[in-house]
Amino acid sequence: MDPASQDINLNSPNKGLGVDHSDSLADVPVEGAVGNSANPLPPGLTEEEAEELRIELTKVEEEINTLRQVLSAKERHAAELKRKLGLSPLNELRQNITKSWQDVQTSNAYLSASATLDDITHSEAYKKTQETLSQAGQKTSAALTTVGTAISRRLGDMRNSATFKSFEDKMGNLKVVGPRGNGDAVTSPTDTTPTQENPPF
């Protein structure tokens, strides 16, 4: 039978496992055992009481070991079932995150915070602040538009000034010197006919 599907009686740690672990646990030293003379008996505890406690401790440790083995078998069985169902760790993680988010949304803290934010957005102070920010944004936009118009007008006036026209005329009379190789000639921006040494056929 599959050990993962058997019922385990905690008072009988070896029942249902199909494996006899009594010999493997007999050699395991127990802390505070009778043979350990380094640990004297605590005050008020007789030798018989200490022996009973040691026996109970041995039983509890055997049960812990059995439970570890059963847990390991159950985990292997669960992993096998998940593999057969096609559940991958990524799908499990996604399901856990979704469930956690649903738990958060239904938690008292989340609902309380949501209600508080809702109250804030409907409060008079929030509405006044929102209106003030909206008005400030409109005024800032209008001011930037005015500044842009003023700059454009100023640039237009400067372009029409006598100083700018004189500067533009001087720039137009300059000669542009190109590289002097492969028969390139010096040209002026006022030349209208480009010269080609090898015209296309």
Side-chain angles (χ1 to χ4, degrees):
M1 288 180 80
D2 182 16
S5 63
Q6 294 179 358
D7 186 28
I8 302 298
N9 182 352
L10 295 180
N11 292 329
S12 175
N14 295 326
K15 180 180 178 186
L17 288 179
V19 178
D20 185 18
H21 295 289
S22 59
D23 59 341
S24 64
L25 295 177
D27 297 334
V28 176
V30 178
E31 288 184 29
V34 177
N36 192 352
S37 61
N39 291 332
L41 291 176
L45 192 64
T46 65
E47 186 65 36
E48 294 81 24
E49 291 173 337
E51 185 62 31
E52 287 177 16
L53 291 175
R54 288 183 192 109
I55 292 171
E56 186 177 348
L57 176 63
T58 303
K59 287 181 182 178
V60 169
E61 288 177 342
E62 287 175 358
E63 289 176 3
I64 289 170
N65 191 29
T66 301
L67 290 174
R68 282 187 182 134
Q69 293 171 357
V70 171
L71 178 62
S72 176
K74 294 282 186 185
E75 286 175 342
R76 283 193 304 273
H77 185 65
E80 180 65 23
L81 291 174
K82 287 178 183 178
R83 187 190 62 76
K84 287 180 180 178
L85 288 171
L87 297 175
S88 68
L90 183 60
N91 289 340
E92 285 186 60
L93 179 64
R94 192 176 299 135
Q95 289 173 353
N96 288 342
I97 290 173
T98 302
K99 185 180 182 314
S100 298
W101 178 241
Q102 289 171 348
D103 291 346
V104 166
Q105 287 180 322
T106 58
S107 69
N108 289 336
Y110 181 84
L111 294 174
S112 174
S114 179
T116 303
L117 287 175
D118 193 39
D119 291 344
I120 289 172
T121 57
H122 289 92
S123 70
E124 288 299 317
Y126 179 82
K127 289 178 182 177
K128 287 180 181 177
T129 303
Q130 189 177 22
E131 289 173 11
T132 303
L133 289 174
S134 176
Q135 290 172 359
Q138 291 172 356
K139 289 179 181 178
T140 302
S141 177
L144 289 175
T145 302
T146 304
V147 168
T149 304
I151 290 173
S152 296
R153 189 177 317 120
R154 183 65 93 168
L155 287 174
D157 292 346
M158 188 171 37
R159 186 148 197 235
N160 292 331
S161 71
T163 306
F164 188 80
K165 287 192 182 265
S166 171
F167 178 74
E168 191 176 33
D169 289 339
K170 287 180 183 177
M171 290 301 289
N173 291 331
L174 288 177
K175 292 186 177 184
V176 178
V177 178
R180 298 216 179 220
N182 300 331
D184 290 338
V186 177
T187 60
S188 170
T190 57
D191 289 344
T192 57
T193 57
T195 59
Q196 293 183 351
E197 290 183 1
N198 299 324
F201 290 85

